[in-house]
Amino acid sequence: MNIPIYDALRKYCQEKNALLHMPGHKGGLGFTLAEFQAIGALDFTEVPGLDDLHDPRGVLLEAQQLAAEAWGAEKSLFLVNGATSGIHSLLLAMGEGVRVILPRNAHRSFLGGLILSGGRPEFVECEIDPELGAALSVRPEKYRDKLESCSDIKGGFLVSPTYYGTVNEIKSITRMLGERGIPLMVDEAHGAHLAFHPDYPDSALREGAQAVVHGLHKTMPVLTQAGILHLAADFPWSARVQASHDLLTSTSPSYPLMASIDIGRAMMQEHGREMLEQAKARAERCRREINRIPGFNSRSHEFLEIDGVAGHDPLKVVVEITDLELDGYQLSHHLRMGYGIQVELAGENHILALFSPVNSEEDWDTLIFALQEISRQSAHHPRKRNIGPGLPAIPPLAITPRESFLSPHKTVMIKESKGMISAEMVAAYPPGIPCLIPGEIITAEVVDYLIYLKLRGIPVHGLRDRSLQRIQVVNI
Ligand SMILES: Cc1ncc(COP(=O)(O)O)c(C=O)c1O
């Protein structure tokens, strides 16, 4: 395997130098636990031979170039603070006051990026699947409408695949923006593996996106926090993105982390196709089996019937409960306590199991077996769907998220907050889509929605006041 970072780390280890430099654990020696000694053995820093992520000329440059080749980018930057830092770098590079189209289901790292940059979000609504209560796509027409109603858009973002594995119509959105000279940037945090097999949905870079962020640790065998920011040749702000990446990245990036990116990339290039082939076959069998179990249902290509969905990653196994007494949270609990299975998330009527090409056949079989048993042991009757109220219309933005963040704040009763400017991001689960972000005006519809959420006991994230009675607003 061509893995330059690991090779350089091994070589440095074999030299058996006296380690009179950082880090203080001295090649793992300072750790008392054997597992940490093993991790520490390759945890070095920018000594000669190991290059420097802030001015890469050696093994790190080579590894980043190998990554760019593997994913089909012009340039790739390693991220040691997750996909979050790639999203922050892109937004920061765009600069203050710049209008950017964002899907309303954007991950909260986008808010951080907007606070750093002073950018102005122009949100587009998502399609919410009524069964899951989750956002699975944005229709391309929403981007067209936004471009028509707003003349000075400088960039567009899209989240694809979603957490649930639905891939959006990237090509048509890229084309639509491209006709106006606007780049599309894709948060492909959950889709780094797609590029390695032709029968999986096409990757965003292949579909023409000009910048793509991967949260590698989510789907590939690499360490947690590892990510990559890929830039295409026609991406307009490469130099500024590089500068933002430098600004936001630690001056002591973890070498085990960066080596794991390189090893993960090499492994996917050498074995990814066959591993993904096998995983896809297992996923198809698993879904067939689940769809035979009374009380459960698992969709994959059926997601393509939803507007704006162009593909589905088969390794995201969504198990919906159709007619069992238990809900998704109870199912998740049973799987953990009774069968030793921990899934990624649970919702009102479903669970989401994330598989990677590395999961064994036994993992797939264990899930099937557990669901068969649970179905046998549970009472069966049709479940009532409880996906919560419809979201209020996206409120108008009075000031940017950055201005809201930096302003003085005060706490007011939600019922008296109409017309004030929010200083908090508030989202109910489901669907996990914010009804407010900092800088937006609290409308009467939002006030009613928040009061309704409290009355119904629907989980709400973002409000500092856990009793859901008060909200932080901008004090003007
Ligand atoms: C769609 C999406 N984008 C970005 C992120 C941020 O990724 P990370 O946690 O690697 O920083 C996440 C994290 O869950 C995510 O789901």
Side-chain angles (χ1 to χ4, degrees), residues 419-437:
M420 298 183 186
I421 299 172
S422 179
E424 295 191 275
M425 172 156 146
V426 188
Y429 281 76
I433 294 175
C435 64
L436 269 180
I437 67 150

Side-chain angles (χ1 to χ4, degrees), residues 79 81-93 100 102-119 121 123 157-160 185-190 213-215 217-218 228-229 248 401-402 405 425 429 432 434 437-438:
L79 305 172
N81 187 22
T84 297
S85 58
I87 290 162
H88 287 179
S89 300
L90 286 170
L91 284 163
L92 184 57
V100 53
L102 291 184
R104 195 68 177 178
N105 64 335
H107 181 259
R108 67 195 167 103
S109 51
F110 280 87
L111 177 61
L114 290 170
I115 289 172
L116 289 171
S117 71
F123 283 107
F157 272 95
L158 179 66
V159 179
S160 177
M185 296 160 274
V186 179
D187 173 358
E188 202 174 48
H190 293 278
V213 179
H214 283 152
H217 63 102
K218 295 182 194 304
I228 302 197
L229 168 53
L248 297 171
R402 179 182 173 81
F405 183 82
M425 172 156 146
Y429 281 76
I437 67 150

